[in-house]
Amino acid sequence: MEIRADSLERALKASIRGSLEGLPWRTFSVSAVARHLAKEVIECSRIDEDGRAYAPDQYTLSIHPRETGELQRAPPEVQRQLALDMQKVLQNTGFILAREPHITLATDPTLSIGDIRVIAWHSSDPLEFTKEHKEPAKEVERRPLANAFLVVEGKRHFPLNKEVVNIGRLPDNDLVLNDRHVSRRHAQLRARENGYVIVDLKSSAGTQVNRRLIKKHFLRPGDVILIAKVELIYGQDPSGPPDVTPPYAPPFKPVKDRHRVTPLDLKTVPEEETAILDS
């Protein structure tokens, strides 16, 4: 299946015009919204072996907070109608939707006035069930991206330089989150061709991406991850992590280093911490 972005943009522009007129946004046109939506649909669609295109079902439209006017008072029917418009256009242009699309209107202070950002993603892998009777593909070696990272609670950054990154409360995890709501082995990041996939390891409190519980999710820059109550932000930037965040350091020594003392680290593990490790 081959859909031209300009054809999809024209169809979206005609369909969503009425819905967008119900919003108090004035600094950009319906054409701009349609263009961004079409671009995300084309780039994020998943193609199965038969050439069928599965469009993403989750969309976030963000603008600068100063431009929202009465956005917070906008009736919920506007978001619902936009989603219905999207569904109709996508189905009419040959896309497959694993579930009904959902559109969220949001603000982002990092945007310039007059800009709009559209992010689309799949709430679940639409190709999961199409692979059940297919011969497994040969495993391809995946190397981690050079400049991928996590920002931990907005204060520290954790570089992603391994093919598999384990996240949890136990000290033998790569990213140790010392929070009682975090499971001992909570989630795992796995390197893929163009980024990382996060997988929930049947944790008790669950893993969320952009406020939605997930079992497995391909991460995109700017995705907000919640490990229980701990917030992580996934980033990919040629310049690396933001300078304002110092590197991540585990809350206590890894098990293999617990008895090692160096001139730069003269701390020992307190008894109460040892009790936690052994529990």
Side-chain angles (χ1 to χ4, degrees):
M1 174 185 173
E2 185 176 348
I3 299 291
R4 290 177 56 89
D6 53 355
S7 300
L8 181 59
E9 180 183 335
R10 286 195 296 270
L12 285 169
K13 181 179 176 181
S15 181
I16 67 177
R17 181 181 299 278
S19 298
L20 288 180
E21 287 177 352
L23 294 174
W25 299 355
R26 297 288 182 267
T27 57
F28 53 83
S29 65
V30 175
S31 298
V33 179
R35 182 172 65 255
H36 283 283
L37 283 171
K39 180 175 179 292
E40 283 291 295
V41 169
I42 297 294
E43 291 184 355
C44 298
S45 290
R46 301 287 303 278
I47 311 297
D48 67 12
E49 294 182 5
D50 297 321
R52 295 175 297 186
Y54 289 77
D57 57 276
Q58 303 296 314
Y59 299 84
T60 298
L61 278 66
S62 302
I63 61 174
H64 192 278
R66 292 183 182 178
E67 301 182 86
T68 58
E70 299 295 321
L71 174 61
Q72 300 302 325
R73 299 181 186 177
E77 308 88 70
V78 174
Q79 293 182 124
R80 173 65 177 161
Q81 187 57 51
L82 277 171
L84 291 175
D85 293 341
M86 280 286 297
Q87 182 177 12
K88 181 178 179 180
V89 170
L90 292 173
Q91 290 175 340
N92 288 344
T93 50
F95 286 93
I96 299 174
L97 283 162
R99 61 182 62 186
E100 211 174 86
H102 180 271
I103 294 181
T104 300
L105 306 176
T107 60
D108 185 345
T110 66
L111 291 174
S112 300
I113 293 179
D115 287 347
I116 179 173
R117 176 180 294 137
V118 176
I119 298 177
W121 69 96
H122 295 269
S123 57
S124 60
D125 184 0
L127 304 185
E128 181 179 356
F129 299 105
T130 68
K131 298 175 182 176
E132 289 183 354
H133 303 294
K134 304 288 183 181
E135 185 176 345
K138 183 179 179 181
E139 186 69 23
V140 179
E141 181 182 356
R142 306 296 185 186
R143 296 182 180 179
L145 294 175
N147 295 299
F149 58 90
L150 293 173
V151 175
V152 184
E153 297 183 296
K155 301 175 182 178
R156 303 166 291 164
H157 65 257
F158 180 86
L160 299 175
N161 49 23
K162 297 175 64 177
E163 291 184 18
V164 177
V165 177
N166 292 306
I167 304 173
R169 184 162 45 88
L170 287 181
D172 59 349
N173 287 285
D174 300 294
L175 177 55
V176 181
L177 302 178
N178 192 20
D179 184 296
R180 63 187 181 87
H181 299 286
V182 175
S183 295
R184 296 181 177 189
R185 306 193 188 281
H186 195 108
Q188 189 176 78
L189 294 178
R190 301 171 185 172
R192 291 294 182 265
E193 185 175 357
N194 296 312
Y196 279 85
V197 169
I198 185 168
V199 180
D200 182 76
L201 301 179
K202 298 182 179 180
S203 62
S204 57
T207 300
Q208 296 185 43
V209 177
N210 300 324
R211 298 186 180 182
R212 291 186 175 274
L213 282 172
I214 58 95
K215 293 183 179 179
K216 183 178 180 181
H217 180 86
F218 185 84
L219 292 170
R220 305 187 70 226
D223 277 352
V224 179
I225 306 164
L226 276 182
I227 303 293
K229 296 185 177 181
V230 181
E231 182 181 277
L232 313 172
I233 299 177
Y234 176 74
Q236 291 175 204
D237 194 323
S239 60
D243 295 334
V244 295
T245 56
Y248 162 85
F252 35 72
K253 282 179 175 292
V255 173
K256 63 180 180 180
D257 293 333
R258 283 175 62 192
H259 303 295
R260 181 183 300 172
V261 178
T262 70
L264 297 178
D265 188 356
L266 301 178
K267 295 181 180 180
T268 58
V269 180
E271 291 184 2
E272 60 268 23
E273 225 171 64
T274 305
I276 293 176
L277 298 179
D278 295 334
S279 63

